[in-house]
Amino acid sequence: MSKKRITEQLMEDVDKGRLGVNQGLPTGLPKLDSIIFGVQKSTYYLIGGDTSSGKSSLVNQIALFEPYAYAIQNPDKIKVKYVYFSYEMQARKQFLRGLSREIYKNEKKVYSNEFILSRKNKISEEGYAKIKSYLPYFDKLEDDISFYETSLTPKKVEEILLYHAKLYGDFVENTTTKEIHYVLKEEYKNLHLIVIYDHASLTKSEGNSDTKSKIDKVSKTFIEFRNMCSFTFFMLQQFNRGIRSMDRKKYDSQEPTLDDFSGSADTGQDADVVLAISYPITYGLETYRGYLIAPKQGGFGNRFRGISILKARDGEPNVHLGICFFGEVGMWINLPKADEFTSAQDYTQYLTP
């Protein structure tokens, strides 16, 4: 197999754009899509946040449920498959959260995890029937997603990615240059494979390797498969505890930075797009970028999150978005600009789903 010339590869990308393929998969956050161009193939995304800031819920919306919904609606245009390293949460709990989200998205009804599992009161027959009506959707999703729930070493992660690469394509050697190229099988020519890794520090160590070493090895593996196979990666990473320090608060410097990512800073260098979640109420802030946070003053309280785009190789970095997060249903919603909130009523509509 002869290698395509660079100009030929470039024009293929241009032609894909004319067909709408380069627009990316939607995240459910139109403002975010306008900056990072949706979820793109062959792209490495890093998402950072403090404990309980909602990292897993965010990645499930922007990388899993919204792109998958789009793929179902456009089967002739795109096919999506997932590899989900879910170290922090069992697969059935991921689907439980997804069930709450889908019901709310489609019907604006709040079916919390507590309600679905009858943790306080037995679920009604109507509610039970509603849950069962969504099972075909999640059965289909299960066919398109491979979960790995046990912490794995970087080497094992590499082996799993190689296994999935061979499921959907072939590694072909150029007879002249001896270079290896990855070619999707005909039935998967429109495939977009998305890998979700939750989260970095839970990677299992190899021998006596430290936290930084194991995270860096996984990150470098992501780069290899991004470049060779055009896989898309979402890596989740905790923030350092220092983001809540009194010194940060004293000098009004609690905006997240690339230095706040715990375990290794190399992931921020490796990734194409870096998103950081701010959770102002946990920092003791009454306002954040013009938004009222303090609950006693009628502000957002726990509902508010900020998403900072710290890095975007093909987009605009250093952009900050105000987000409403309904945690009980796993839904992230764009907020209007801060100066559009002029009365308490403007905030009230975002306090409950």
Side-chain angles (χ1 to χ4, degrees), residues 24-28 39 59-75 78-83 95 101-102 105 134-146 191-194 196 234:
L25 301 173
T27 66
V39 177
V59 79
N60 280 347
Q61 171 163 322
I62 70 176
L64 178 57
F65 294 119
E66 290 294 331
Y68 191 71
Y70 178 84
I72 288 178
Q73 295 165 7
N74 298 273
I78 189 77
K79 180 179 293 186
V80 180
K81 295 283 187 180
Y82 290 93
V83 179
F95 272 27
R101 187 182 185 280
E102 288 302 303
K105 179 184 176 183
Y134 278 82
L135 293 186
Y137 168 83
F138 285 94
D139 277 334
K140 178 172 175 52
L141 175 57
E142 187 172 357
D143 291 337
D144 292 323
I145 188 168
S146 297
L191 177 68
H192 191 157
L193 192 140
I194 299 175
I196 301 174
F234 282 85

Side-chain angles (χ1 to χ4, degrees), residues 3 16 58 104 165 178 184 201 237 253 290 319:
K3 182 180 180 180
K16 287 178 182 177
L58 178 62
Y104 179 77
K178 303 303 179 181
L184 287 169
S201 65
Q237 197 167 346
S253 60
V319 177

Side-chain angles (χ1 to χ4, degrees), residues 4 22 24 51 107 187 226 262 304 316 319-320 323-324:
K4 294 180 181 178
N22 295 342
T51 301
E107 305 182 37
E187 63 268 35
R226 177 199 64 190
S262 177
F304 185 89
E316 183 181 0
V319 177
H320 307 275
I323 304 291
C324 174

Side-chain angles (χ1 to χ4, degrees), residues 48-50 239-258 260 276-289 293 304-308 310 320:
D50 212 348
F239 281 164
N240 294 310
R241 295 179 181 177
I243 196 169
R244 299 192 189 194
S245 71
M246 292 304 295
D247 284 343
R248 293 283 289 266
K249 185 176 180 180
K250 178 181 178 181
Y251 294 105
D252 194 24
S253 60
Q254 288 177 294
E255 293 281 9
T257 71
L258 289 172
D260 287 315
I277 303 171
S278 297
Y279 192 6
I281 196 170
T282 64
Y283 311 150
L285 301 180
E286 294 191 349
T287 63
Y288 180 82
R289 289 191 165 269
I293 303 300
F304 185 89
R305 300 292 191 278
I307 294 181
S308 298
L310 301 182
H320 307 275

Side-chain angles (χ1 to χ4, degrees), residues 159-223:
E159 291 173 359
I160 288 170
L161 293 177
L162 182 60
Y163 165 77
H164 285 279
K166 291 180 178 179
L167 277 180
Y168 307 119
D170 298 296
F171 292 92
V172 181
E173 184 180 61
N174 183 302
T175 54
T176 303
T177 65
K178 303 303 179 181
E179 291 180 286
I180 303 297
H181 303 282
Y182 182 71
V183 181
L184 287 169
K185 296 174 182 177
E186 181 62 26
E187 63 268 35
Y188 294 113
K189 62 181 181 180
N190 296 325
L191 177 68
H192 191 157
L193 192 140
I194 299 175
V195 180
I196 301 174
Y197 200 85
D198 187 8
H199 57 77
S201 65
L202 293 179
T203 304
K204 188 176 181 180
S205 297
E206 292 175 326
N208 296 321
S209 62
D210 58 14
T211 298
K212 184 181 186 310
S213 176
K214 65 183 183 181
I215 292 175
D216 290 349
K217 285 181 180 179
V218 171
S219 188
K220 296 301 185 284
T221 296
F222 288 177
I223 292 174

Side-chain angles (χ1 to χ4, degrees), residues 19-31:
L19 295 173
V21 176
N22 295 342
Q23 292 178 1
L25 301 173
T27 66
L29 294 171
K31 291 181 182 178

Side-chain angles (χ1 to χ4, degrees), residues 41-46 154 157-158 161 171 182 195 197 214-235 264-274 311 313:
K41 287 188 70 173
S42 191
T43 303
Y44 176 0
Y45 300 87
L46 176 65
V157 170
E158 181 181 12
L161 293 177
F171 292 92
Y182 182 71
V195 180
Y197 200 85
K214 65 183 183 181
I215 292 175
D216 290 349
K217 285 181 180 179
V218 171
S219 188
K220 296 301 185 284
T221 296
F222 288 177
I223 292 174
E224 291 175 7
F225 280 88
R226 177 199 64 190
N227 295 347
M228 174 69 79
C229 305
S230 295
F231 288 2
T232 296
F233 292 92
F234 282 85
M235 168 89 88
S264 174
D266 285 11
T267 50
Q269 298 174 21
D270 295 342
D272 301 294
V273 177
V274 181
K311 179 180 178 181
R313 282 190 176 147

